[in-house]
Amino acid sequence: MWRKELSLPHDPMARSPSSSSTASASGDSEEEDTGFLEVTVSDMKHPPPELGPMPAGLSPQQVVRRHILGSIVQSERSYVDSLKRILQDYRNPLMEMEPKVLSARKCQVVFFRLKEILQCHSMFQIALASRVAEWDSAEKIGDLFVASFSKSMVLDVYSDYVNNFTTAMSLIKKACLTKPAFLDFLKKRQMASADRVTLYGLMVKPIQRFPQFILLLQDMLKNTPKGHADRLSLQLALTELETLAEKLNEQKRVADQVAEIQQLCKSISDRSSLNKLLSSGQRQLLLCETLTETVYGDRGQLIKSKERKVFLLNDMLVCANINFKGQLEISSLVPLGPKYVVKWSTALPQVQVVEVGQESGAYDKDNVVIHNAGAKKHAPTGPASHSEHPSLPLHSPGGMGSRDCCSRALFLPFHPPHQDKVYLGPPRLFQELQDLQKDLAVVEQITLLISTLHGTYQNLNMTVAQDWCLALQRMMKVKEEEIHSANKCRLRLLLPGKPDKSGRPISVMVVFITPSPLSKISWVNRLHLAKIGLREENQPGWLCPDEDKKSKAPFWCPILSCHMSAFSSKALDLQLGAAVHNPVQSSLLGFSAISTSLPQGYLWVGGGQEGAGGQVEIFSLNRSVPRTVKSFPVASPVLCMEYIPEATEGDTTGTEETRAGTEQPPTALHPTVCLGLQDGSIAVYGSVDTGTQCLLTCKSPGMQPVLCLKHSSEYLFAGLQDGTVAAYPRNNGGLWDLAERPTCLTVGTGPVRALLTLDETVWASCANQVTVLDASSLRTQQTFEAHPDAEASVTHMIKAGSGVWMAFSLGSSIRLFHTETLEHLQEINIATRTTFVLPGQKHVRVTSLLICQGLLWVGTDQGIIVLLPVPRLEGIPKITGKGMVSLNGHGGPVEFLAVALSTLAPDVLKGNQEEEEGEEEKTPELDGPPPREMRKKGILLQYRLRSTAHLPGQLLSVRDAPAGTSGTPEHTEEDGSIYEMADDPDVWVRSRPCARDAPRKEISSVAIISGGRGYRNFSAEPQRRGGEADSTLLIWQVPLML
């Protein structure tokens, strides 16, 4: 994305200086002008790498490394063979065939850059063979990957191939449809091969190659001990491959996006406004997926369903029909690109997501009648993409256009109140739940009446009545779960339609079934963020400082969600000190609310007034905009904070417990938040859920201001003003023993400004030195110089992968150090980025650092925030691109950058089918009663009471009980056992336990919070805003990490 020109080495693989940078794929020349010097590698002179027999006396780790090397050799040989097959079995015969079934020009397009990719890997194989031959003596391979795949030529040829891949596939597809001889050629070649792999299966291998390399190198790194000569090289190799793969993925994503939009444009009239908008190049495709549109009848029955392709662009939503006609014959040879027929499109701000049971948030249910689908008089209006409606504007007030949408959607015209309500499909479940609630109230009244009976009756007493109540409560729980399941994969969108004859607005409800709960979450989240992205402050929100200064921010860039005052009290001029996120999962959040709210939990913000007291503000994040839930004063300004997750006995990190939910075993220690104050106090507070009471407080040795706090499994470390690190051990109760005098470690004479816990060590900064301490014994391991200038104190340290980034009190640079060798690896001058926003401002100082989700956030004293891409894996977190600069910032220094991150509960991702299977596993004694719609009889209200025979009193009945039954009611299919989930009522009262413990992919919700003086939009305001004196929070969101 941020491509950098590098000087090319003089080797046989380098480009000829006189040749063009890329081949003209569309040219008419018969010869392929590649722009590269071709090198022929002979298998006779350079045999492929071969791993010899394993020597004796190897350690288990050496044996594993040798096996991984064997996998690398075998994988590379297979890949090179596949490349040769493409050229020898397909390209060369097609070029030589007479008469030609594919012209030389088209062959050039289809097989573009494959010869160069083969050359790259043939040269790599030569070098790999020499490393394999000397493996048992040297055991080094990481530097070979760095040397081979860090060259710009590798990125160039793979980029050309990836960018051309969609074009090549569409050309193959078109040739299959129009030239039977070509289709026959492909079929014969596939059948003649031993593995029956298609041409597409071979050509997709270059796109998959680097992810395969990454997995192999990750395995090799895991089995390479610290101190090994190959370890740093492997980490650097992992970084190079990850960077290369990320760039190729981004290019592939952009190419696919362009192809999808072009395919969509083909279905629209060239003169239509929608076509012009799509062709303008101003639209980004955020999400597209095949969803099933459904229509329900007035009794809740499914009338019809049909697959649609739905496109979410940055400012509009488009729904299209899919047409595969005439293409099925080639579907096994090449992926089909379907033809689309646009059904409707609407402006994004007018789209609302409506959940089952939450209709009142979108419209007043009492004023709505839902008509049956097919009422043509309610035909919607708006952006017509069809030639029949050329006069309708794209962004008309109606916002939606279609010629047949009336037969696919539900229409909700606004009418006077007190009309009869008709519930279609899933809303019927909500009505049934309300009916059950009313019935329970009636049964409770009946129970009170039964308690007044004078006689004793076997089947009419308080035990039976309470069983009725329990059965109804269970049925309500089941109904709630049915509604929850209906929401899991049902995307209900309320869209504007054409007003009726009287001018009253009509809304159109369109219901889509998503392939999975994960898909539903993604759609709701992207729709929510896309709307926020249309706000003025996000248009644009980021500047990509490329050479042309015109590069657009990528679709995944963080979106400014809101900016707000950091403190509710306006009486004092409070300065910000620190912020931490206390993650707490809320069971009250609905399924879609998870997608639209900030990461669950609470944000603690601390600060104060110089020479006066401090203040702590706690915000709830279980919503789209934070809300203050508590505010309290402290004795002195807050300088630092540390969130300490709950930990059970034998578990020191507590991260799993944090994710597991709010209900913890009784032995668990609740999460705490530690505050470091200017007067030398350390205060430990309980979480919001436990009342935020102050659990502990103490004074630091010498009453020194507490500048930073970090915790390990055994200690709470405090960096003090006088160059001391105070280590407080845990006591038997799990809290820090603040009453005892801490262990004091002197690391220098200046203030300890930054602490970092790293594996089994703690890094402490003092002036320009960093001291590495053993986290258990508290002994100094070593000290190293982080900056040549003694006046440049280390102010921030942040870890990523196998590196630590540091910021300093002087200068505008940040520096990267290796976590194991402490070697200085990279230095970046932030001022070169900020000048794009504030030209001429060369004196910039870094005031905050944060790494999250592969992005390094850098806050400056100018209020500007810079975003730099870094690798996410275990490699070296080198900065590999120019990054982005936020056009939203603060009027003063960025005092802190904090991350709020929560992981969605695993049961959120469980599909309906899995839930049903889980229920079957849990209640195998049930014989699967017929669905409710098929049962004619009523449901027998019954919970645990299978018989009343054991109860005292006579049986109330007009008939005598059959002999031998002892008054036991007959066990029928209507006895309520369909609702039986478990014998223990607590199971269904709390929640149904997960039936399967299979590992699931996590979904992370992430928000970034910056704190500083005021809010400033650098693109709109040449001067700072007048209200800059207020301490302000800026909150960014990124799309859910799926």
Side-chain angles (χ1 to χ4, degrees):
M1 185 165 32
W2 305 291
R3 185 139 157 205
K4 190 175 179 180
E5 290 300 325
L6 303 174
S7 59
L8 298 177
H10 295 285
D11 61 32
M13 292 158 60
R15 297 189 181 201
S16 169
S18 61
S19 33
S20 60
S21 60
T22 55
S24 174
S26 58
D28 294 322
S29 121
E30 294 290 318
E31 294 299 320
E32 187 173 353
D33 177 19
T34 64
F36 288 85
L37 295 174
E38 186 173 344
V39 178
T40 303
V41 179
S42 167
D43 285 346
M44 296 294 293
K45 289 184 179 180
H46 302 284
E50 194 74 42
L51 196 59
M54 186 180 299
L58 296 181
S59 69
Q61 213 166 36
Q62 286 178 308
V63 172
V64 173
R65 281 169 55 79
R66 216 171 184 281
H67 282 307
I68 296 169
L69 178 67
S71 297
I72 292 173
V73 169
Q74 183 181 1
S75 169
E76 183 65 10
R77 183 184 304 156
S78 172
Y79 178 58
V80 170
D81 288 345
S82 296
L83 295 175
K84 289 178 179 177
R85 274 176 63 183
I86 298 173
L87 297 175
Q88 294 170 3
D89 294 356
Y90 290 92
R91 179 190 177 278
N92 295 348
L94 284 170
M95 293 288 285
E96 298 164 2
M97 191 179 293
E98 291 295 343
K100 293 188 180 300
V101 295
L102 204 64
S103 68
R105 182 183 63 82
K106 289 181 178 177
C107 280
Q108 180 180 333
V109 175
V110 170
F111 304 105
F112 187 52
R113 288 287 178 251
L114 274 166
K115 289 176 70 176
E116 290 75 27
I117 291 175
L118 177 58
Q119 285 178 26
C120 289
H121 285 269
S122 297
M123 301 298 287
F124 174 66
Q125 265 204 329
I126 295 172
L128 182 61
S130 65
R131 289 304 173 91
V132 168
E134 57 191 31
W135 176 259
D136 293 314
S137 59
E139 280 199 19
K140 284 196 72 176
I141 197 172
D143 56 336
L144 172 61
F145 276 90
V146 173
S148 300
F149 297 108
S150 61
K151 297 172 182 173
S152 62
M153 188 209 68
V154 176
L155 174 63
D156 290 341
V157 295
Y158 269 97
S159 295
D160 289 346
Y161 183 82
V162 166
N163 293 338
N164 181 68
F165 185 78
T166 305
T167 304
M169 289 303 107
S170 62
L171 198 154
I172 291 174
K173 185 187 77 172
K174 187 175 181 180
C176 286
L177 293 171
T178 57
K179 298 185 177 181
F182 179 73
L183 179 61
D184 187 55
F185 170 79
L186 292 186
K187 288 180 177 179
K188 286 180 178 177
R189 288 292 172 180
Q190 180 194 359
M191 296 306 295
S193 63
D195 53 12
R196 299 289 195 272
V197 175
T198 63
L199 175 59
Y200 171 80
L202 293 171
M203 291 188 67
V204 81
K205 288 181 182 290
I207 294 174
Q208 301 166 340
R209 187 61 190 140
F210 291 107
Q212 292 168 349
F213 269 151
I214 287 170
L215 291 174
L216 289 167
L217 286 190
Q218 281 181 307
D219 286 342
M220 185 70 86
L221 183 59
K222 284 177 188 174
N223 291 280
T224 304
K226 290 182 180 179
H228 192 286
D230 200 28
R231 189 166 171 87
L232 178 56
S233 297
L234 282 171
Q235 290 168 337
L236 288 168
L238 204 54
T239 297
E240 292 292 346
L241 291 175
E242 184 187 353
T243 302
L244 189 57
E246 284 288 337
K247 289 180 179 178
L248 294 176
N249 282 344
E250 178 65 13
Q251 291 177 1
K252 179 74 166 62
R253 188 198 65 78
V254 171
D256 290 345
Q257 170 183 311
V258 170
E260 283 285 6
I261 292 179
Q262 286 177 347
Q263 190 71 20
L264 188 61
C265 285
K266 290 178 182 178
S267 67
I268 310 167
S269 166
D270 292 341
R271 289 179 290 181
S272 73
S273 55
L274 180 58
N275 188 301
K276 292 175 183 176
L277 282 167
L278 291 174
S279 304
S280 66
Q282 299 302 309
R283 270 151 191 82
Q284 284 185 301
L285 182 62
L286 306 183
L287 190 61
C288 69
E289 192 174 18
T290 301
L291 306 179
T292 304
E293 188 173 356
T294 56
V295 181
Y296 295 92
D298 58 357
R299 298 181 181 275
Q301 75 276 22
L302 181 66
I303 296 178
K304 51 189 167 184
S305 63
K306 189 165 185 179
E307 286 191 341
R308 307 286 192 199
K309 190 81 167 188
V310 185
F311 300 83
L312 173 61
L313 296 111
N314 55 303
D315 63 349
M316 63 190 304
L317 191 67
V318 181
C319 177
N321 195 12
I322 306 171
N323 183 10
F324 281 106
K325 285 183 181 178
Q327 303 183 30
L328 296 179
E329 186 183 358
I330 66 165
S331 60
S332 61
L333 297 174
V334 62
L336 299 177
K339 295 180 179 179
Y340 301 125
V341 178
V342 172
K343 311 305 291 182
W344 52 261
S345 60
T346 188
L348 206 53
Q350 299 171 325
V351 179
Q352 293 184 64
V353 177
V354 183
E355 292 295 0
V356 175
Q358 297 175 348
E359 284 82 355
S360 57
Y363 53 87
D364 183 357
K365 287 190 294 180
D366 290 333
N367 294 345
V368 174
V369 172
I370 304 177
H371 289 267
N372 286 321
K376 293 187 177 181
K377 61 181 180 179
H378 298 296
T381 185
S385 54
H386 313 284
S387 57
E388 300 96 291
H389 306 292
S391 61
L392 292 175
L394 180 66
H395 295 293
S396 66
M400 177 174 172
S402 170
R403 60 181 171 186
D404 70 342
C405 210
C406 52
S407 64
R408 300 286 188 263
L410 314 178
F411 303 95
L412 298 89
F414 286 81
H415 284 281
H418 308 303
Q419 295 277 357
D420 292 332
K421 287 178 287 186
V422 180
Y423 290 83
L424 301 188
R428 189 181 186 90
L429 296 172
F430 192 68
Q431 176 66 31
E432 290 172 354
L433 176 62
Q434 290 179 321
D435 292 343
L436 285 171
Q437 290 169 339
K438 293 174 184 175
D439 291 346
L440 178 60
V442 173
V443 171
E444 285 173 344
Q445 292 177 353
I446 293 172
T447 303
L448 289 175
L449 291 173
I450 289 175
S451 68
T452 64
L453 289 172
H454 293 283
T456 303
Y457 307 101
Q458 179 186 319
N459 57 343
L460 185 62
N461 50 51
M462 285 299 292
T463 304
V464 174
Q466 287 169 359
D467 199 60
W468 295 342
C469 293
L470 283 172
L472 275 168
Q473 289 170 5
R474 178 184 53 201
M475 291 164 66
M476 287 167 57
K477 180 64 181 177
V478 171
K479 194 63 62 180
E480 288 170 357
E481 292 193 351
E482 286 179 0
I483 292 173
H484 183 61
S485 296
N487 277 336
K488 276 190 173 182
C489 294
R490 187 167 277 105
L491 182 65
R492 304 170 77 232
L493 302 178
L494 194 63
L495 312 175
K498 184 179 180 180
D500 61 13
K501 293 179 180 178
S502 64
R504 289 176 297 188
I506 292 191
S507 293
V508 182
M509 181 75 79
V510 182
V511 182
F512 293 108
I513 306 299
T514 61
S516 67
L518 192 64
S519 171
K520 161 73 180 293
I521 289 175
S522 182
W523 273 100
V524 177
N525 177 251
R526 294 295 173 89
L527 279 164
H528 173 70
L529 292 183
K531 287 185 182 182
I532 296 176
L534 294 176
R535 294 175 186 168
E536 185 181 358
E537 61 266 28
N538 289 312
Q539 292 288 325
W542 297 86
L543 179 66
C544 297
D546 273 357
E547 286 78 2
D548 58 6
K549 297 185 183 180
K550 294 179 181 177
S551 177
K552 290 189 298 184
F555 80 111
W556 49 258
C557 72
I559 295 170
L560 183 64
S561 176
C562 62
H563 54 87
M564 56 191 296
S565 178
F567 298 104
S568 53
S569 172
K570 304 294 182 185
L572 298 173
D573 179 22
L574 298 172
Q575 296 182 6
L576 288 167
V580 292
H581 175 233
N582 174 14
V584 177
Q585 287 192 358
S586 171
S587 58
L588 300 177
L589 277 181
F591 188 70
S592 287
I594 291 173
S595 306
T596 57
S597 73
L598 293 162
Q600 297 177 48
Y602 300 97
L603 177 71
W604 292 54
V605 178
Q609 194 172 22
E610 190 70 31
Q615 187 79 11
V616 173
E617 199 92 4
I618 303 177
F619 297 89
S620 169
L621 300 183
N622 295 340
R623 59 198 73 246
S624 54
V625 177
R627 178 177 63 87
T628 300
V629 293
K630 189 158 187 175
S631 179
F632 59 90
V634 288
S636 180
V638 179
L639 301 182
C640 57
M641 288 181 170
E642 175 76 343
Y643 168 71
I644 300 169
E646 57 199 337
T648 55
E649 200 173 331
D651 177 46
T652 55
T653 61
T655 52
E656 292 302 320
E657 282 73 20
T658 305
R659 293 174 184 171
T662 55
E663 293 188 6
Q664 296 300 325
T667 57
L669 174 68
H670 289 288
T672 55
V673 175
C674 297
L675 311 183
L677 308 185
Q678 195 170 44
D679 66 358
S681 300
I682 297 176
V684 180
Y685 284 84
S687 64
V688 176
D689 292 345
T690 58
T692 62
Q693 72 272 26
C694 186
L695 305 175
L696 293 170
T697 184
C698 77
K699 293 288 186 179
S700 66
M703 307 278 287
Q704 291 293 316
V706 182
L707 304 183
C708 48
L709 288 168
K710 288 292 176 186
H711 79 283
S712 69
S713 57
E714 300 176 54
Y715 292 97
L716 175 66
F717 298 96
L720 307 181
Q721 180 79 35
D722 64 354
T724 301
V725 175
Y728 296 89
R730 283 189 189 269
N731 60 23
N732 292 334
L735 287 169
W736 311 109
D737 196 347
L738 302 183
E740 296 293 325
R741 183 168 179 81
T743 304
C744 292
L745 312 165
T746 302
V747 295
T749 56
V752 178
R753 296 180 181 272
L755 289 170
L756 178 67
T757 51
L758 194 63
D759 297 329
E760 302 300 321
T761 63
V762 178
W763 291 25
S765 75
C766 186
N768 66 333
Q769 305 279 324
V770 174
T771 301
V772 182
L773 305 167
D774 187 289
S776 298
S777 67
L778 304 182
R779 293 175 182 166
T780 300
Q781 291 185 351
Q782 53 190 316
T783 300
F784 66 96
E785 185 181 88
H787 199 284
D789 188 346
E791 300 297 319
S793 299
V794 178
T795 55
H796 298 85
M797 295 188 290
I798 191 83
K799 176 189 179 291
S802 300
V804 174
W805 278 102
M806 298 185 189
F808 304 88
S809 59
L810 294 179
S812 56
S813 293
I814 55 175
R815 297 164 71 100
L816 173 65
F817 292 85
H818 191 219
T819 57
E820 297 167 19
T821 65
L822 310 182
E823 184 181 341
H824 175 219
L825 300 174
Q826 192 179 22
E827 183 166 357
I828 297 291
N829 185 4
I830 298 300
T832 59
R833 274 75 174 175
T834 58
T835 52
F836 287 92
V837 176
L838 292 179
Q841 186 62 258
K842 296 181 180 179
H843 300 289
V844 176
R845 183 171 56 87
V846 176
T847 57
S848 49
L849 279 182
L850 176 74
I851 283 185
C852 178
Q853 305 287 351
L855 296 171
L856 173 62
W857 293 68
V858 184
T860 67
D861 61 345
Q862 304 294 323
I864 300 172
I865 295 171
V866 178
L867 210 54
L868 299 165
V870 292
R872 301 176 185 223
L873 302 179
E874 310 93 313
I876 306 299
K878 292 173 64 177
I879 292 170
T880 53
K882 294 194 174 182
M884 301 186 293
V885 181
S886 176
L887 294 173
N888 295 292
H890 295 279
V894 181
E895 300 292 349
F896 61 74
L897 286 164
V899 60
L901 187 149
S902 66
T903 304
L904 301 191
D907 61 327
V908 168
L909 302 180
K910 190 162 58 173
N912 298 342
Q913 184 178 359
E914 292 175 272
E915 288 186 347
E916 290 164 9
E917 290 173 357
E919 187 166 345
E920 287 170 10
E921 286 180 11
K922 193 161 31 176
T923 56
E925 74 278 1
L926 302 183
D927 293 324
R932 269 192 313 285
E933 293 80 27
M934 297 174 62
R935 294 203 307 259
K936 303 298 182 184
K937 302 176 183 178
I939 296 172
L940 179 62
L941 276 185
Q942 184 173 310
Y943 177 55
R944 276 185 165 177
L945 203 60
R946 294 300 183 192
S947 168
T948 59
H950 64 283
L951 297 177
Q954 59 180 332
L955 181 67
L956 275 181
S957 175
V958 296
R959 293 176 299 178
D960 292 331
T965 61
S966 303
T968 305
E970 183 183 357
H971 188 85
T972 65
E973 64 178 23
E974 293 85 30
D975 68 353
S977 60
I978 181 175
Y979 296 104
E980 191 67 30
M981 285 185 269
D983 287 336
D984 181 4
D986 287 341
V987 172
W988 57 263
V989 169
R990 284 200 311 266
S991 63
R992 185 185 302 191
C994 184
R996 294 166 186 256
D997 295 323
R1000 295 186 178 278
K1001 194 173 181 181
E1002 291 182 342
I1003 302 181
S1004 297
S1005 175
V1006 180
I1008 306 296
I1009 300 98
S1010 70
R1013 289 289 190 179
Y1015 161 70
R1016 183 180 180 189
N1017 187 303
F1018 291 95
S1019 63
E1021 302 171 29
Q1023 301 298 325
R1024 297 181 183 180
R1025 184 173 289 185
E1028 67 186 27
D1030 293 336
S1031 292
T1032 303
L1033 301 178
L1034 271 59
I1035 299 179
W1036 281 270
Q1037 278 185 271
V1038 295
L1040 287 176
M1041 299 294 153
L1042 305 177

